[in-house]
Amino acid sequence: MKKTYIWAALITVSVLASLVWYGCTEKEEDLKGTIYGTVTDYATGEPVGNVSVKLRPTGEATLTGNDGTYEFKDLDAGKYSLLLSKTAYADLDDDYIIELAAGKKVKRDVQMRKRIASLQITDMTGNPLDTLDFGSEESVKVKTFNVFNDGTESITCTATYDCEWIVNVSGLENAIQPGETKAVTVRIDRVALTDGVNISFLYITSDNGSNEIVVKATFAGSPTITTVEASNVTANSATIGGNITDDGGRPVTVRGICYGTSQTPTIDGNHTEDGSGTGAFSHNITGLSSSATYYARAYATNRNSTYYASNIISFTTIDGLPTVTTSPVTNITASTAKSGGNVTSNGGYNVTARGICWNTMGCPDLDDQHTTNGSGNGSFTNNMTGLTAGTTYYVRAYATSQQGTSYGSEQQFTATNGAVTITLSAATNVTATSATCSANITNDGGSAVTERGICWSTSQYPTISGSHTAVGSGTGSFSTSISSLSPSTTYYVRAYATNSVGTSYSNQINFTTDNGLPTVTTNTVSSITANSAVCGGNVTSDGGFPVTAKGICWSTSQYPTVSGSHTTSGSGTGSFNTSMSGLSVGTTYYVRAYATNSNGTAYGSQVIFTTNNGLPNVTTTTPTLTGSIVTTGGNVTSDGGFPITARGVCYGTYPNPDLTSTYNHTTNGTGTGYYTSLFSITAGSGMYYIRAYATNANGTTYGTQDSITHPYDELPTFQYNGHTYRVAPEPYNTELRWSEANTYCNNLTLHGYTDWRMPTLGELLQMYSDRYSIVMNLAYYWSSTTCNPSYSTSPGYYYVMFSGGSPYCDAGGAALISVCPIRVEN
């Protein structure tokens, strides 16, 4: 049946369409028209959405979209008008007649003015408030804001909300009088909050305006948990801990550790239960497998859910074998040596045997020679006997339990061959002709040392058949000085020791005797001018030969020598200073100290410096302004080594003024020292930049830049109707009748200007819009615009309240109100 109806309808429409198309032509007066347009805010020009637009006389109504547009379609030709309304806006009875022709579209754009609110919501400091944020602190449960009646009649307010976590709103029980502020307190129940940010709306409604506040409160919800690293790990157990530092506002009912071989263990698997609440806890987990890797993390459960620590730890159970270390080998002889070990852990099982094993191939085990030194943990020692002289052996400690045998690290040693063990230290106190040598005999090879000493040569591996010195007998440390050496010569040295087996030699060292030249350092260059400088040095050693001359040498090339420019500052060791003169301006020099003895001349390190450019140094005096006269100047602290021929200040309205024709300048004599400069500026000329200058034969230098501005140019400005206005500075005159205020403005002379006047209403409203940049007080201000008050037959004058921007009409201008003079600049 439904399909039959649809087809019937389609057939009917088709037939009717055919009849219309073929039967007649629609009359022009029957064509429908459209009225459309955009609603904007009178003050801002922005589109106004959600406006009720009613078409008269048909009574049709529609709402504007977010873009402020409306549209009425299928309208008969005729005359129409609009009626608009929206909360917080004045109803607009648009008396403009829209004449709509048949089949046409007519656009009608309209503007609406916002009502001046009589109900204001502010924070406790008087700033507008649209959001009351309780934040995430659990202790914050109460917040307070103000309701201000800025109307002329008392209002009664109520607070409404639809939220289970807002407990109550108090403070609106009584009417609010005009100009009165009421403190409103909002209390919330944090236990009722859900996780995250909770948002609700609080509506403050009165019989003359209403407002809404967004109320926010945040609940973190989850506890703060960390997992503690595993400890006391054995082959089948480990101690795991956790710490709950914050329960997130919900009591922790169960806490513990979840663990397993998966990387993200949960309470669905192995876990412990270790009480409730916050704080640290731990659990010794047993029944683990040896040599296995486990993962663990702490958890906490509250009424919301179960939460896990952000960090997951891992640990591996040990293999259950004992842990043993091998002791160093001592008391080594040609046939015996001593070693041992320390069982530091039994791996969870009793140690049944321990000892040392050794061989000549490496990695000794219980199949090789070994000792047995009891059982259990702890340290032990034992001797290895039957060793072969001069043979290298390897030894390890071992420990055995039911899990098997483990070994300590391998130690290597060589049985002695009967030779003396002797070592030689580096040579010290090396001069051009002598040096000190030290040695130590740590083992006599089994036979007493009958002679010991030092041998040396210019060839490698010296023996006692060449130069040598004997230093007693026996083992231990000894030292001696060798002399009669040649300067700048390389020597090879060995210690020796003789016992009944023969003579043994130590390791070989080598050293080179000094060249016999002095040692000298170069000082830092100081007192640098355009053509001179001071430098010096210190002869710290004469090289073993008297210093016959010392001084400094310099050049524009690197590494100067005494063959070029140099000074002579006496002889002998010690420090000295001297001057360099006749230098070139702005030139880089290289300087070295030198010292000469019979073996030659030695030089200190090279120091680089550059002579001054010969220009003056000048500073700028901070400028001051008296009337239109600027007082400034400068101080020439140095003439750069050349007489000052001119000095003064450069100034202009562009940065970095100089002596070019772009800027002005003063001339204030010659020479160094302080000087004063004067010049004038006028109001409206803007900022002036100032720099002192000083000139000598090498050029001109400038002091640091300073600036000064006429006080008039620093007065605040605002723009209105294409003009720029200046605002007189505070304090503004207060408590004046209109006539007194007008006289005050008209008679005001400020910064040389006499055309100050009282602002018009339009200018004053613009000043209100710009009040923060102008820095206006929140007071009432007169305008020069007249008005006709409804309550009096006398003409009046407008004034504006700067705490709200509302204009008011005062009959006769008798009120005591402030005034702020202005003048038009262009």
Side-chain angles (χ1 to χ4, degrees), residues 388-403:
T388 301
T391 301
T392 298
Y393 288 89
Y394 303 89
V395 60
R396 292 195 297 179
Y398 73 89
T400 301
S401 71
Q402 69 180 54
Q403 294 290 100

PDB file of all heavy atoms in Angstrom, residues 388-403:
ATOM      1  N   THR A 388     108.358 -25.782  39.138  1.00  0.00           N
ATOM      2  CA  THR A 388     109.582 -25.806  38.354  1.00  0.00           C
ATOM      3  C   THR A 388     110.092 -24.378  38.183  1.00  0.00           C
ATOM      4  O   THR A 388     109.337 -23.485  37.790  1.00  0.00           O
ATOM      5  CB  THR A 388     109.331 -26.428  36.976  1.00  0.00           C
ATOM      6  OG1 THR A 388     108.827 -27.765  37.163  1.00  0.00           O
ATOM      7  CG2 THR A 388     110.601 -26.487  36.154  1.00  0.00           C
ATOM      8  N   ALA A 389     111.385 -24.171  38.480  1.00  0.00           N
ATOM      9  CA  ALA A 389     111.953 -22.829  38.419  1.00  0.00           C
ATOM     10  C   ALA A 389     111.783 -22.230  37.032  1.00  0.00           C
ATOM     11  O   ALA A 389     111.930 -22.916  36.017  1.00  0.00           O
ATOM     12  CB  ALA A 389     113.426 -22.858  38.796  1.00  0.00           C
ATOM     13  N   GLY A 390     111.455 -20.931  37.016  1.00  0.00           N
ATOM     14  CA  GLY A 390     111.330 -20.195  35.756  1.00  0.00           C
ATOM     15  C   GLY A 390     110.117 -20.559  34.938  1.00  0.00           C
ATOM     16  O   GLY A 390     110.015 -20.156  33.776  1.00  0.00           O
ATOM     17  N   THR A 391     109.168 -21.304  35.488  1.00  0.00           N
ATOM     18  CA  THR A 391     107.985 -21.751  34.746  1.00  0.00           C
ATOM     19  C   THR A 391     106.781 -20.867  35.116  1.00  0.00           C
ATOM     20  O   THR A 391     106.584 -20.520  36.280  1.00  0.00           O
ATOM     21  CB  THR A 391     107.682 -23.222  35.048  1.00  0.00           C
ATOM     22  OG1 THR A 391     108.823 -24.018  34.690  1.00  0.00           O
ATOM     23  CG2 THR A 391     106.461 -23.699  34.263  1.00  0.00           C
ATOM     24  N   THR A 392     105.946 -20.589  34.107  1.00  0.00           N
ATOM     25  CA  THR A 392     104.741 -19.774  34.331  1.00  0.00           C
ATOM     26  C   THR A 392     103.575 -20.684  34.692  1.00  0.00           C
ATOM     27  O   THR A 392     103.323 -21.697  34.024  1.00  0.00           O
ATOM     28  CB  THR A 392     104.384 -18.961  33.079  1.00  0.00           C
ATOM     29  OG1 THR A 392     105.461 -18.053  32.799  1.00  0.00           O
ATOM     30  CG2 THR A 392     103.099 -18.170  33.284  1.00  0.00           C
ATOM     31  N   TYR A 393     102.840 -20.299  35.760  1.00  0.00           N
ATOM     32  CA  TYR A 393     101.712 -21.081  36.247  1.00  0.00           C
ATOM     33  C   TYR A 393     100.449 -20.211  36.262  1.00  0.00           C
ATOM     34  O   TYR A 393     100.502 -18.976  36.314  1.00  0.00           O
ATOM     35  CB  TYR A 393     101.989 -21.608  37.662  1.00  0.00           C
ATOM     36  CG  TYR A 393     103.011 -22.713  37.705  1.00  0.00           C
ATOM     37  CD1 TYR A 393     104.369 -22.428  37.832  1.00  0.00           C
ATOM     38  CD2 TYR A 393     102.618 -24.041  37.615  1.00  0.00           C
ATOM     39  CE1 TYR A 393     105.311 -23.429  37.859  1.00  0.00           C
ATOM     40  CE2 TYR A 393     103.561 -25.060  37.655  1.00  0.00           C
ATOM     41  CZ  TYR A 393     104.902 -24.765  37.774  1.00  0.00           C
ATOM     42  OH  TYR A 393     105.827 -25.759  37.801  1.00  0.00           O
ATOM     43  N   TYR A 394      99.301 -20.939  36.259  1.00  0.00           N
ATOM     44  CA  TYR A 394      97.980 -20.300  36.342  1.00  0.00           C
ATOM     45  C   TYR A 394      97.244 -20.918  37.512  1.00  0.00           C
ATOM     46  O   TYR A 394      97.250 -22.161  37.672  1.00  0.00           O
ATOM     47  CB  TYR A 394      97.190 -20.500  35.051  1.00  0.00           C
ATOM     48  CG  TYR A 394      97.924 -19.983  33.831  1.00  0.00           C
ATOM     49  CD1 TYR A 394      98.807 -20.815  33.129  1.00  0.00           C
ATOM     50  CD2 TYR A 394      97.764 -18.670  33.406  1.00  0.00           C
ATOM     51  CE1 TYR A 394      99.510 -20.352  32.027  1.00  0.00           C
ATOM     52  CE2 TYR A 394      98.461 -18.193  32.297  1.00  0.00           C
ATOM     53  CZ  TYR A 394      99.330 -19.039  31.611  1.00  0.00           C
ATOM     54  OH  TYR A 394     100.017 -18.570  30.532  1.00  0.00           O
ATOM     55  N   VAL A 395      96.573 -20.092  38.328  1.00  0.00           N
ATOM     56  CA  VAL A 395      95.929 -20.581  39.532  1.00  0.00           C
ATOM     57  C   VAL A 395      94.547 -19.964  39.651  1.00  0.00           C
ATOM     58  O   VAL A 395      94.328 -18.788  39.304  1.00  0.00           O
ATOM     59  CB  VAL A 395      96.798 -20.270  40.785  1.00  0.00           C
ATOM     60  CG1 VAL A 395      97.018 -18.782  40.952  1.00  0.00           C
ATOM     61  CG2 VAL A 395      96.175 -20.868  42.052  1.00  0.00           C
ATOM     62  N   ARG A 396      93.573 -20.783  40.163  1.00  0.00           N
ATOM     63  CA  ARG A 396      92.217 -20.281  40.438  1.00  0.00           C
ATOM     64  C   ARG A 396      91.731 -20.893  41.746  1.00  0.00           C
ATOM     65  O   ARG A 396      92.004 -22.066  42.036  1.00  0.00           O
ATOM     66  CB  ARG A 396      91.226 -20.663  39.333  1.00  0.00           C
ATOM     67  CG  ARG A 396      91.468 -19.993  38.017  1.00  0.00           C
ATOM     68  CD  ARG A 396      90.259 -20.137  37.086  1.00  0.00           C
ATOM     69  NE  ARG A 396      89.969 -21.523  36.730  1.00  0.00           N
ATOM     70  CZ  ARG A 396      88.951 -21.899  35.944  1.00  0.00           C
ATOM     71  NH1 ARG A 396      88.119 -20.974  35.470  1.00  0.00           N
ATOM     72  NH2 ARG A 396      88.759 -23.163  35.644  1.00  0.00           N
ATOM     73  N   ALA A 397      90.974 -20.114  42.530  1.00  0.00           N
ATOM     74  CA  ALA A 397      90.268 -20.668  43.689  1.00  0.00           C
ATOM     75  C   ALA A 397      89.000 -21.333  43.186  1.00  0.00           C
ATOM     76  O   ALA A 397      88.466 -20.992  42.129  1.00  0.00           O
ATOM     77  CB  ALA A 397      89.944 -19.555  44.677  1.00  0.00           C
ATOM     78  N   TYR A 398      88.474 -22.319  43.962  1.00  0.00           N
ATOM     79  CA  TYR A 398      87.232 -22.995  43.575  1.00  0.00           C
ATOM     80  C   TYR A 398      86.374 -23.206  44.811  1.00  0.00           C
ATOM     81  O   TYR A 398      86.850 -23.172  45.958  1.00  0.00           O
ATOM     82  CB  TYR A 398      87.524 -24.341  42.889  1.00  0.00           C
ATOM     83  CG  TYR A 398      87.995 -25.426  43.837  1.00  0.00           C
ATOM     84  CD1 TYR A 398      87.074 -26.266  44.492  1.00  0.00           C
ATOM     85  CD2 TYR A 398      89.349 -25.618  44.091  1.00  0.00           C
ATOM     86  CE1 TYR A 398      87.512 -27.248  45.369  1.00  0.00           C
ATOM     87  CE2 TYR A 398      89.780 -26.589  44.962  1.00  0.00           C
ATOM     88  CZ  TYR A 398      88.856 -27.406  45.606  1.00  0.00           C
ATOM     89  OH  TYR A 398      89.273 -28.363  46.488  1.00  0.00           O
ATOM     90  N   ALA A 399      85.068 -23.402  44.559  1.00  0.00           N
ATOM     91  CA  ALA A 399      84.123 -23.739  45.631  1.00  0.00           C
ATOM     92  C   ALA A 399      83.059 -24.637  45.029  1.00  0.00           C
ATOM     93  O   ALA A 399      82.555 -24.382  43.925  1.00  0.00           O
ATOM     94  CB  ALA A 399      83.497 -22.468  46.225  1.00  0.00           C
ATOM     95  N   THR A 400      82.685 -25.724  45.793  1.00  0.00           N
ATOM     96  CA  THR A 400      81.753 -26.725  45.271  1.00  0.00           C
ATOM     97  C   THR A 400      80.534 -26.835  46.189  1.00  0.00           C
ATOM     98  O   THR A 400      80.668 -26.860  47.425  1.00  0.00           O
ATOM     99  CB  THR A 400      82.442 -28.091  45.164  1.00  0.00           C
ATOM    100  OG1 THR A 400      83.575 -27.986  44.289  1.00  0.00           O
ATOM    101  CG2 THR A 400      81.488 -29.151  44.624  1.00  0.00           C
ATOM    102  N   SER A 401      79.317 -26.860  45.585  1.00  0.00           N
ATOM    103  CA  SER A 401      78.068 -27.152  46.306  1.00  0.00           C
ATOM    104  C   SER A 401      77.300 -28.167  45.488  1.00  0.00           C
ATOM    105  O   SER A 401      77.792 -28.655  44.467  1.00  0.00           O
ATOM    106  CB  SER A 401      77.240 -25.876  46.483  1.00  0.00           C
ATOM    107  OG  SER A 401      76.716 -25.470  45.230  1.00  0.00           O
ATOM    108  N   GLN A 402      76.070 -28.506  45.925  1.00  0.00           N
ATOM    109  CA  GLN A 402      75.286 -29.499  45.194  1.00  0.00           C
ATOM    110  C   GLN A 402      74.907 -29.021  43.794  1.00  0.00           C
ATOM    111  O   GLN A 402      74.537 -29.819  42.932  1.00  0.00           O
ATOM    112  CB  GLN A 402      74.022 -29.845  45.976  1.00  0.00           C
ATOM    113  CG  GLN A 402      73.004 -28.709  46.046  1.00  0.00           C
ATOM    114  CD  GLN A 402      71.778 -29.096  46.833  1.00  0.00           C
ATOM    115  OE1 GLN A 402      71.876 -29.542  47.977  1.00  0.00           O
ATOM    116  NE2 GLN A 402      70.624 -28.966  46.210  1.00  0.00           N
ATOM    117  N   GLN A 403      75.002 -27.684  43.530  1.00  0.00           N
ATOM    118  CA  GLN A 403      74.697 -27.145  42.216  1.00  0.00           C
ATOM    119  C   GLN A 403      75.881 -27.260  41.258  1.00  0.00           C
ATOM    120  O   GLN A 403      75.731 -27.066  40.062  1.00  0.00           O
ATOM    121  CB  GLN A 403      74.300 -25.667  42.328  1.00  0.00           C
ATOM    122  CG  GLN A 403      72.998 -25.407  43.075  1.00  0.00           C
ATOM    123  CD  GLN A 403      71.783 -25.879  42.295  1.00  0.00           C
ATOM    124  OE1 GLN A 403      71.265 -26.961  42.574  1.00  0.00           O
ATOM    125  NE2 GLN A 403      71.375 -25.115  41.304  1.00  0.00           N
TER     126      GLN A 403
END
